[in-house]
Amino acid sequence: MTAGNGSLARLEALLGADVIRTAAAELEPLQQDHRRLYQGRALALALPRTVEEVSTLLAFCHAQRIGVVPHAGNTSYCGGATPDASGTQLVLSLRRLAAIRAVDPLNYSMVAEAGCILATLQQAAAAADRFFPLSLGSEGSCQIGGNLSTNAGGLNVVRYGMTRDLVLGLEVVLPDGRLLSSLSSVRKDNTGYDLKSLFVGAEGTLGVITAASLKLFPLPRDVATAFVAVPRPQAAVELLVRLREASGDRVGSFELVPQIAIDLTTRHIPGIVAPLDRASPWYVLCELSSPRADEGLGVLLETELGRAFEAGLVTDAVLAQSERERQAFWRLRESVPTAQTRDGASLKHDVSVPVAQLPAFIEQASRWIEAQVTDAVLVAYGHVGDGNLHFNLNQAPGTPAEALQAQEAKIRRAIHDLVHDFGGSFSAEHGIGRSKVEELARYAPPVELELMQAIKRALDPHGIMNPGKVLQP
Ligand code: 2HG
Ligand code: ZN
């Protein structure tokens, strides 16, 4: 795929210098991912103001065979939004398409443009007495277009599902510039193939999502949050079962946190304190919530934790007594990735296995790491309720980053092979991007891969959309 100065001049002529930006200072932040694993060089940055401009832009790029890299909040863990080093790819940001087109509390839905910051949507829903449940550590900067394109997971999946589950309809500009306008707000629609689902999680390889019709829920009014010490992951899984049953399935979040995450966050993030005095190998951060203000969830949670204590599943626990305390628990959990980064180099494995298999997976994978890996500290945490573990490794204190990095390929293969044996996924919530293209080619069943390639060819015959991401060219 080639694009020279001639194409750039024509693009500028077509859309104007306000839309097509070339200043180095504007391109620089888009040319590397937030973990600084990938560096690229962009032809230009496109900042369309309208859906029509997105259409015009893609039609031109389709005709001229110019690669387009959609770029949202730049919070990807897989390099999915970074251009390659050729200097021929156009980075496309929809940050100016940031209108909330409608909030409909009676229909429990809203229509938002792709450039909306996730936290803004949560606030808009709350202002209408409704709840938009997608919640991520990066919610203050990530954009809904990126969340949709990566099918983001996050902290409330156990109750509300992934981003895909929150979508009623989509507006998408296809690679040739045609507009697929399916911004339906109906909940039942069995008219043929579910096309919108193709674009959710496609990471911008099939088209550009410009707006979405999203599900809303009743606002939680009774919330009970606890930080709980558990002796082992199996106890966490059993506690989850107990809480789901005892609360009538009111578990909104259920996160596993190891002691090392407490050590890293208290060391590297100002203001974080350990919620419990005594160290425990593992903790659970769990939250029950209900739209009924008088559900009595605090008492219920305390009672169930007491019972779990008697059964040896819990060794200590603290309930948040105020919104401030609750926020402090969540801040600790959400700061784990930042604390990991501040501690040094890390290797990340965003894996999932069936929830019931998680303890066995942790045990086998940890045993392998202990026996086969040097100069590393295991930092395994995540969304137990979804069977999703961030099985990460950090460089050991006093060892060079290179010592860990040199083992990356060997570790990745062993962990992903084990995940495969457990019937799990090597990318539970972070997607494929650039970093896991070979993994997808290796682990996806051949027929699945063939179908994905056929869909890609049908929608994007010239391969202009996010080239080199998700599928091998
Ligand atoms: C989280 O759960 C994010 O905090 C990031 O998905 C996980 O850094 C990671 O591996
Ligand atoms: Zn996560």
Side-chain angles (χ1 to χ4, degrees):
M1 199 158 301
T2 52
N5 289 338
S7 305
L8 187 56
R10 286 171 60 199
L11 254 178
E12 277 175 337
L14 192 65
L15 289 159
D18 181 44
V19 173
I20 303 298
R21 309 284 179 96
T22 51
E26 285 207 77
L27 300 191
E28 203 275 327
L30 314 163
Q31 297 182 143
Q32 64 179 345
D33 68 309
H34 83 280
R35 292 180 65 208
R36 296 174 203 275
L37 297 180
Y38 299 100
Q39 265 81 33
R41 203 162 60 80
L43 173 70
L45 161 67
L47 278 181
R49 295 158 296 202
T50 62
V51 175
E52 291 69 36
E53 284 181 347
V54 179
S55 242
T56 305
L57 181 86
L58 290 198
F60 179 84
C61 291
H62 178 77
Q64 300 299 315
R65 317 287 195 258
I66 298 173
V68 178
V69 181
H71 186 98
N74 205 10
T75 59
S76 165
Y77 278 91
C78 304
T82 312
D84 70 12
S86 66
T88 62
Q89 298 182 334
L90 188 70
V91 172
L92 168 61
S93 165
L94 296 198
R95 66 181 185 235
R96 285 162 127 184
L97 264 82
I100 297 175
R101 294 191 195 161
V103 180
D104 185 346
L106 258 191
N107 194 53
Y108 282 85
S109 64
M110 75 178 157
V111 176
E113 292 183 346
C116 290
I117 302 289
L118 175 54
T120 310
L121 297 186
Q122 295 165 343
Q123 286 151 16
D129 211 21
R130 294 292 177 262
F131 184 52
F132 184 56
L134 185 63
S135 170
L136 319 171
S138 57
E139 61 200 23
S141 60
C142 64
Q143 296 169 16
I144 191 68
N147 303 143
L148 289 157
S149 295
T150 55
N151 186 28
L155 303 165
N156 287 334
V157 176
V158 65
R159 171 87 152 273
Y160 297 97
M162 306 272 281
T163 306
R164 184 189 307 285
D165 300 304
L166 306 175
V167 178
L168 293 169
L170 285 185
E171 178 186 84
V172 180
V173 178
L174 298 177
D176 61 7
R178 279 179 300 162
L179 187 67
L180 174 70
S181 194
S182 308
L183 274 181
S184 155
S185 289
V186 299
R187 269 147 217 278
K188 295 181 86 170
D189 179 11
N190 261 350
T191 51
Y193 302 146
D194 183 12
L195 293 176
K196 68 180 182 308
S197 219
L198 275 182
F199 299 93
V200 180
E203 303 184 41
T205 60
L206 298 179
V208 177
I209 297 172
T210 49
S213 171
L214 301 162
K215 288 182 196 167
L216 301 179
F217 294 83
L219 204 55
R221 294 186 196 284
D222 188 5
V223 178
T225 312
F227 210 89
V228 184
V230 295
R232 51 193 175 274
Q234 180 66 29
V237 171
E238 287 176 32
L239 180 64
L240 173 62
V241 172
R242 283 171 171 243
L243 289 179
R244 285 188 70 172
E245 289 184 0
S247 68
D249 232 353
R250 300 273 193 272
V251 178
S253 308
F254 199 87
E255 297 285 312
L256 187 67
V257 178
Q259 178 61 38
I260 182 73
I262 309 280
D263 299 343
L264 290 176
T265 49
T266 51
R267 191 180 318 147
H268 294 295
I269 314 288
I272 300 269
V273 287
L276 292 164
D277 293 336
R278 264 177 300 127
S280 161
W282 298 95
Y283 303 85
V284 162
L285 170 52
C286 62
E287 190 159 283
L288 307 183
S289 63
S290 166
R292 277 178 47 174
D294 58 352
E295 191 93 333
L297 291 179
V299 174
L300 190 146
L301 185 54
E302 203 169 351
T303 308
E304 282 312 311
L305 289 175
R307 289 187 180 140
F309 181 84
E310 298 296 322
L313 298 176
V314 162
T315 54
D316 201 358
V318 55
L319 265 83
Q321 299 300 333
S322 63
E323 180 56 22
R324 226 174 112 236
E325 269 179 36
R326 173 179 172 264
Q327 293 292 347
F329 293 171
W330 278 113
R331 185 155 175 262
L332 186 158
R333 165 61 187 88
E334 290 175 2
S335 304
V336 180
T338 310
Q340 254 202 290
T341 307
R342 292 191 185 158
D343 202 60
S346 52
L347 304 179
K348 305 216 175 221
H349 310 93
D350 165 36
V351 303
S352 66
V353 296
V355 179
Q357 299 287 308
L358 203 64
F361 173 81
I362 294 176
E363 201 191 312
Q364 287 186 38
S366 309
R367 230 187 299 130
W368 186 87
I369 296 286
E370 230 167 80
Q372 306 290 336
V373 177
T374 55
D375 303 312
V377 176
L378 180 61
V379 189
Y381 62 97
H383 320 287
V384 202
D386 320 324
N388 176 193
L389 199 68
H390 298 303
F391 196 83
N392 298 342
L393 295 162
N394 255 46
Q395 97 190 69
T399 63
E402 295 73 28
L404 178 63
Q405 282 151 355
Q407 304 172 82
E408 179 171 7
K410 167 182 99 171
I411 299 172
R412 187 193 310 125
R413 187 58 51 240
I415 298 303
H416 289 173
D417 278 355
L418 188 62
V419 164
H420 189 70
D421 293 347
F422 271 81
S425 167
F426 65 86
S427 184
E429 63 170 0
H430 294 169
I432 302 297
R434 208 196 258 201
S435 65
K436 295 184 195 160
V437 173
E438 289 81 19
E439 300 302 278
L440 185 66
R442 184 184 185 96
Y443 292 106
V447 176
E448 232 174 71
L449 217 49
E450 276 166 32
L451 284 178
M452 286 193 215
Q453 274 150 352
I455 291 167
K456 171 76 176 167
R457 277 195 303 273
L459 290 178
D460 183 19
H462 303 319
I464 63 158
M465 289 310 310
N466 218 358
K469 314 289 168 46
V470 182
L471 294 172
Q472 281 168 338

